Amino acid sequence: HPRQIFSTGSRESLKNTDRKTMLDFYGRHYSANRMKLVMMSATPIDQMETLARNIFSPIKNTNVLASRPSSQLYDPADLPRLIKVKPVKDLRQLRLSFAAPTEDPYWHSKPTGLISFLIGHEGEGSLLSLLKEENLALGLSAGFDNERYVGEFEINVDLTDKGLKNPKKIIDHFFSYIKLQKQEGLKDQLFKEVQSLSQISYDFREHSEGGRVASNYASLMQRHHPLGIELNTKLYYHFKPENFQFFLSYITPQNMNAFLVSKKVDTDKTEEIYGTKYKVEKFSDEDIKRWKNPKTNTALHYPEKNPYIPSNFNILKQDYLAAPVKIIDTKRAKVWF
């Protein structure tokens, strides 16, 4: 699959590249109809338009069709599998990934954001809370890597020494939590909370560094109208429990890549570009059967209602103090308000 191609380049991988190879590649892929342009500057708009026309008009439109790689990232016969990786840094991580369709048609409801929000929740009843209680993990994050043609759930767990020795126990708890999500579904209360938080984050967002914004906008213009980028990518519009369940259906043991990353893992292969040591193992039929029908764990439940989401952002009128006032003065601390 194109996603497995070495994307950085090295002296070895580029040694047979010449001008003709470069121009042939350019001719196959570079055409004005496939490109998006973003310019950010303090220069007046009319001058920027002149610059854009002068500099970019020579790019020809050869009506090259956009390539669309297969959405089948992995050979089903290879999954599920455990890939042990020996890193350069002293890391202890368990990473789970699950390929899924692109989320582009579902941007109004953003189901993968809601699923990731629940998996990554850190409060009472959360997956991380249980893993910490059993001294298996120090931290957990979840997200969805989205492309035009495919997406992939990615869950990363920072392990304790005990967790490194018991990765299957962590996967047990993970699938118990996925079972809970499939049974409970998307709650209206949860959706409204995430919707409100996203609106607050949008309304009070900070300005980002210009180069990063320009690059991000140019990429997102391939999938969104320019004036809708901020709104379309950040806000939750429609409550769609069926979309939530649709993407959950891809988080299964049959669709899982598991990576165990540690200096202590045993390896038997070497990756040819970076020289990374690794080993690929198959899970047992017993493991897969257990994860297909995970146990219900009463320690796991959805987050309680969040009472701290504000709805009124008016600044209170009050007499502000002319100077800070000391409100705590003890041996341990001095605090000014």
Side-chain angles (χ1 to χ4, degrees):
H1 195 281
R3 275 173 69 111
Q4 74 173 323
I5 293 172
F6 179 50
S7 60
T8 306
S10 67
R11 181 177 299 174
E12 181 66 23
S13 68
L14 297 173
K15 68 180 181 181
N16 294 321
T17 300
D18 55 20
R19 178 174 172 78
K20 182 180 183 303
T21 304
M22 294 289 289
L23 290 176
D24 287 346
F25 183 88
Y26 182 90
R28 288 197 307 272
H29 299 290
Y30 283 77
S31 173
N33 66 299
R34 292 186 62 184
M35 296 181 177
K36 304 296 180 184
L37 169 67
V38 175
M39 295 172 65
M40 292 185 70
S41 171
T43 305
I45 287 292
D46 58 342
Q47 293 182 33
M48 290 178 68
E49 181 179 350
T50 299
L51 284 170
R53 291 184 183 280
N54 290 343
I55 295 171
F56 295 101
S57 288
I59 299 176
K60 296 178 181 178
N61 180 4
T62 57
N63 293 308
V64 172
L65 295 177
S67 60
R68 194 171 184 86
S70 168
S71 60
Q72 185 75 53
L73 292 185
Y74 307 105
D75 185 343
D78 292 336
L79 303 180
R81 62 187 169 189
L82 175 65
I83 304 169
K84 296 179 177 179
V85 181
K86 187 168 291 187
V88 175
K89 289 185 176 181
D90 189 15
L91 300 175
R92 293 176 309 203
Q93 294 178 336
L94 175 66
R95 301 173 188 169
L96 308 179
S97 74
F98 304 85
T102 177
E103 197 189 29
D104 281 358
Y106 305 89
W107 64 267
H108 288 94
S109 58
K110 296 181 174 58
T112 65
L114 295 159
I115 293 170
S116 299
F117 173 83
L118 284 169
I119 296 174
H121 179 62
E122 299 183 358
E124 186 178 343
S126 67
L127 176 59
L128 178 60
S129 178
L130 175 60
L131 295 178
K132 282 187 173 182
E133 182 69 25
E134 297 188 1
N135 191 29
L136 294 168
L138 301 169
L140 183 151
S141 62
F144 188 76
D145 180 20
N146 191 54
E147 303 283 358
R148 288 183 301 112
Y149 59 94
V150 76
E152 197 162 11
F153 284 102
E154 296 179 347
I155 297 91
N156 188 67
V157 183
D158 294 319
L159 303 173
T160 60
D161 286 333
K162 181 181 177 182
L164 181 61
K165 296 173 184 176
N166 296 277
K168 292 180 182 179
K169 184 67 174 177
I170 296 172
I171 300 175
D172 286 346
H173 290 330
F174 171 77
F175 279 113
S176 290
Y177 195 73
I178 295 302
K179 176 182 178 180
L180 172 70
Q181 286 187 252
K182 290 177 178 178
Q183 290 176 338
E184 294 288 328
L186 178 59
K187 304 289 189 182
D188 182 61
Q189 171 199 308
L190 176 73
F191 176 80
K192 287 179 178 176
E193 287 186 2
V194 174
Q195 185 181 45
S196 296
L197 290 169
S198 68
Q199 185 70 56
I200 292 168
S201 296
Y202 173 77
D203 290 340
F204 297 96
R205 65 195 184 282
E206 295 181 357
H207 290 289
S208 300
E209 180 269 327
R212 185 177 302 170
V213 172
S215 175
N216 191 41
Y217 271 38
S219 175
L220 290 172
M221 279 167 56
Q222 295 283 0
R223 288 131 81 171
H224 297 279
H225 187 278
L227 298 182
I229 286 175
E230 290 284 348
L231 294 168
N232 294 357
T233 58
K234 291 182 169 60
L235 300 185
Y236 290 72
Y237 292 96
H238 297 158
F239 176 65
K240 294 284 187 179
E242 63 273 21
N243 294 346
F244 181 84
Q245 292 288 359
F246 172 70
F247 276 91
L248 267 180
S249 70
Y250 286 88
I251 303 182
T252 66
Q254 305 96 297
N255 193 34
M256 178 176 67
N257 278 300
F259 299 84
L260 187 62
V261 183
S262 168
K263 283 183 173 294
K264 295 181 180 180
V265 299
D266 57 308
T267 63
D268 59 5
K269 293 182 177 65
T270 301
E271 191 276 326
E272 62 180 282
I273 302 295
Y274 288 104
T276 303
K277 306 289 185 182
Y278 72 101
K279 183 179 183 179
V280 181
E281 296 180 356
K282 299 292 287 185
F283 289 108
S284 69
D285 292 339
E286 181 183 341
D287 289 330
I288 299 170
K289 182 179 179 181
R290 189 172 69 253
W291 295 331
K292 282 183 177 180
N293 298 286
K295 292 181 179 179
T296 298
N297 194 319
T298 55
L300 299 170
H301 58 77
Y302 273 18
E304 299 293 337
K305 183 177 181 180
N306 185 349
Y308 300 109
I309 299 176
S311 58
N312 184 347
F313 298 94
N314 294 327
I315 297 175
L316 298 177
K317 294 181 180 179
Q318 62 184 38
D319 295 326
Y320 292 97
L321 300 170
V325 175
K326 189 186 295 183
I327 58 173
I328 296 177
D329 190 352
T330 68
K331 291 181 179 180
R332 293 187 64 191
K334 291 179 173 62
V335 178
W336 281 264
F337 172 71

